């Protein structure tokens, strides 16, 4: 009972990464197994049905529903433009102009109801495309859904992030893991780049980076107040990645200004100048998703490990705390007691003992840590 499995963060210079690229609805896959793809390569596309809009004819003409439909001058299947007359009444006493009803939307007439006296107009379909995200090879096609992309290279996972998928050039701005990036260190030439910041970045640096077209920021930590101010709202850590911001952020250690782990910093140093795929999406609950940076290495030789969703927790395992009061702290497992421990809440849990980098010995629930997975 001394072993357990827990999600881990990968920090590796040589690893095989596979990502499933799936459409939200059924569609067409446009790649084949074995095809080489770039991050921007479209692997599948579909058409989302347009929104249904209602033209309330009975209300517009002030008549009964069954009478309103007799005024319609279009039929189901007809295309209509915004402002186009779709129904026309009769002249009153031969003196007044005939009343009309116009469509408030562009689309296609889907139905006309005598029961409601309304016309339904379907707006144009919305095209959806899924790209490969990674530079690599298609290893499996999912019919009508998407494909699985595989690449080999370096990978850094973070503890938290925001922003969606982006591609840019890794650029080192930090001279050490404790560097804090300031606004005057960011220039117009950094547009399209992913900046490695060290321990963090100021709010002014964050704002300027987004304004100048920086693709992403990678740092040991981020201040809650800065992130909330930039987003315009308080953000939770349950799920992220859909924020309407011009760049993605990957945090490797936790909240606040926190020195980036030395091995993570050194790996990012070695990747400077290379094109990387960055995704800030984070999901802490079931189906864990970690923010990540992936750099394809085309000239790698020999065998590389395949990224695993979990790893074995044993004495000597490097871990990171993912909940307070030690959130973001790194350490090493020193013991895995088999007996259950009762928390203040009354819950019985398994715990572990660990030695933190500052030398402190702590006992925490095993669910409060994640494994630091390292590779070559």
């Amino acid at each position: 009972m001394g072993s357990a499995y827990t999600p881990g963060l990968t920090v590796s210079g040589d690893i095989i990464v596979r990502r499933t690229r799936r459409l939200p609805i059924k569609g067409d896959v446009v790649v084949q197994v074995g095809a080489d793809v770039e991050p921007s390569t479209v692997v599948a596309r579909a058409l989302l049905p347009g929104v249904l809009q209602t033209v309330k004819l009975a209300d517009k003409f002030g008549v009964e529903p069954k009478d309103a439909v007799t005024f319609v001058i279009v039929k189901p299947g007809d295309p209509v433009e915004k402002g186009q007359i779709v129904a026309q009444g009769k002249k009153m006493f031969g003196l007044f102009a005939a009343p009309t009803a116009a469509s408030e939307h562009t689309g296609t007439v889907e139905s006309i109801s005598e029961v409601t006296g309304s016309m339904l107009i379907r707006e144009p379909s919305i095209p959806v495309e899924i790209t490969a995200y990674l530079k690599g090879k298609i290893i499996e096609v999912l019919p009508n859904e998407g494909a699985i992309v595989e690449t080999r290279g370096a990978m850094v996972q973070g503890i938290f992030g925001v922003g969606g998928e982006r591609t840019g050039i890794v650029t080192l701005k930090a001279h050490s893991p404790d560097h804090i990036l300031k606004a005057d260190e960011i220039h117009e030439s950094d547009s399209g780049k992913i900046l490695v910041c060290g321990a963090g970045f100021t709010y002014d640096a964050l704002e300027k980076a987004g304004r100048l077209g920086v693709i992403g920021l990678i740092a040991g930590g981020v201040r809650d107040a800065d992130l909330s101010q930039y987003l315009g709202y308080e953000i939770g850590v349950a799920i992220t990645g859909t924020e309407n911001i011009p760049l993605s952020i990957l945090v490797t250690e936790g909240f606040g200004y926190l020195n980036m782990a030395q091995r993570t910093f050194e790996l990012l140093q070695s990747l400077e100048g290379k094109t990387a795929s960055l995704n800030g999406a984070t999901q802490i609950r079931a189906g864990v998703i970690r923010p990540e940076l992936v750099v394809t290495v085309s000239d790698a030789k020999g065998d590389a490990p395949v990224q695993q969703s979990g790893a074995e927790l044993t004495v000597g395992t490097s871990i990171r705390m993912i909940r307070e009061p030690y959130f973001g702290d790194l350490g090493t497992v020193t013991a895995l007691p088999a007996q259950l421990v009762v928390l203040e809440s009354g819950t019985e849990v398994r715990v572990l003992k660990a030695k933190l980098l500052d030398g402190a010995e702590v006992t925490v629930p095993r669910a409060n840590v994640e494994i630091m997975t390292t590779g070559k």
Side-chain angles (χ1 to χ4, degrees):
M1 299 300 293
S3 297
Y5 290 86
T6 187
L9 294 182
T10 299
V11 178
S12 175
D14 189 10
I15 194 167
I16 293 174
V17 180
R18 294 170 183 152
R19 290 291 175 265
T20 300
R21 311 298 291 163
R22 197 186 302 271
L23 289 165
I25 61 172
K26 297 290 185 181
D28 299 317
V29 180
V30 296
V31 292
Q32 296 179 340
V33 172
D36 293 322
V37 292
E38 297 293 326
S40 59
T41 301
V42 174
V43 299
R45 54 172 60 98
L47 290 175
L48 285 174
V51 177
L52 269 179
Q53 302 289 356
T54 302
V55 180
K56 298 181 178 180
L57 300 174
D59 291 349
K60 289 180 178 293
F61 289 110
V63 297
E64 293 295 320
K66 60 183 178 61
D67 296 324
V69 298
T70 64
F71 300 155
V72 175
I73 57 176
V74 293
K75 61 183 183 298
D78 284 352
V80 295
E81 298 290 330
K82 182 177 180 179
Q84 178 181 333
I85 302 301
V86 294
Q88 184 170 333
K90 300 177 181 178
K91 290 184 178 181
M92 297 182 64
F93 310 114
L95 300 175
F96 301 100
T100 60
S103 172
E104 297 176 358
H105 308 275
T106 296
T108 303
V109 178
E110 185 149 309
S111 65
I112 303 164
S113 172
E114 291 185 353
V115 176
T116 64
S118 297
M119 175 187 298
L120 294 181
I121 295 177
R122 175 80 65 178
E123 292 186 340
S125 297
I126 304 167
V128 175
E129 293 184 337
I130 299 297
T131 62
Y133 169 59
L134 300 175
K135 175 182 173 66
K137 189 179 292 290
I138 301 297
I139 63 167
E140 183 179 346
V141 167
L142 309 174
N144 305 119
E145 293 184 16
I148 298 176
V149 183
E150 178 182 282
T151 194
R152 177 175 177 175
M155 180 180 190
V156 174
Q157 285 186 318
I159 194 169
F160 176 74
V162 294
E165 298 173 353
R166 292 180 165 88
T167 304
I169 306 298
V170 178
T171 303
L172 202 70
K173 286 290 184 178
H175 52 72
S176 63
D178 61 354
H179 183 89
I180 297 174
L181 184 69
K182 298 178 177 59
D184 59 9
E185 299 175 88
I186 301 174
H187 311 288
E188 291 186 2
S189 59
D190 291 321
S191 176
K193 296 179 179 179
I194 300 169
L195 307 185
V196 180
C197 309
F201 44 81
T202 66
Y203 174 80
D204 289 343
L206 172 58
E207 190 279 330
K208 186 176 181 180
R211 179 161 42 85
L212 293 186
V214 170
I215 292 298
L217 298 174
I218 303 178
V222 61
R223 298 201 316 163
D224 270 336
D226 292 344
L227 189 57
S228 297
Q229 183 179 352
Y230 188 69
L231 295 174
Y233 57 88
E234 294 285 340
I235 190 167
V237 296
I239 184 166
T240 71
T242 59
E243 297 78 20
N244 184 24
I245 54 177
L247 79 175
S248 296
I249 298 171
L250 186 153
V251 176
T252 64
E253 315 303 324
F255 292 100
Y257 291 147
L258 298 173
N259 294 355
M260 186 179 290
Q262 185 67 36
R263 63 171 173 263
T264 304
F265 184 74
E266 291 174 356
L267 176 57
L268 291 170
Q269 272 185 314
S270 72
L271 299 175
E272 184 167 23
K274 298 185 181 296
T275 299
S277 297
L278 174 67
N279 188 4
T282 308
Q283 183 169 305
I284 303 297
R285 296 176 181 172
V288 173
I289 299 172
R290 290 300 187 191
E292 64 182 14
L293 176 104
V294 181
V295 177
T296 298
V297 179
S298 57
D299 58 352
K301 298 178 181 179
D303 295 330
V306 178
Q307 184 204 359
Q308 302 294 327
S309 59
E312 189 173 3
L313 190 66
T314 60
V315 173
T317 299
S318 295
I319 57 173
R320 185 198 311 269
M321 308 297 172
I322 60 173
R323 291 183 177 86
E324 296 294 351
Y326 306 108
F327 183 85
D329 286 349
L330 302 179
T332 303
V333 177
T334 58
L336 292 163
Q339 67 273 21
L340 296 176
V341 173
V342 180
L343 301 180
E344 292 181 3
S345 63
T347 305
E348 290 186 328
V349 300
R350 295 198 181 279
V351 299
L352 61 80
K353 294 182 180 181
K355 184 175 183 179
L356 304 184
L357 293 184
D358 63 5
E361 298 277 356
V362 299
T363 300
V364 296
R366 297 186 192 184
N368 288 10
V369 308
E370 60 186 353
I371 292 171
M372 294 291 293
T373 306
T374 58
K376 298 178 183 179

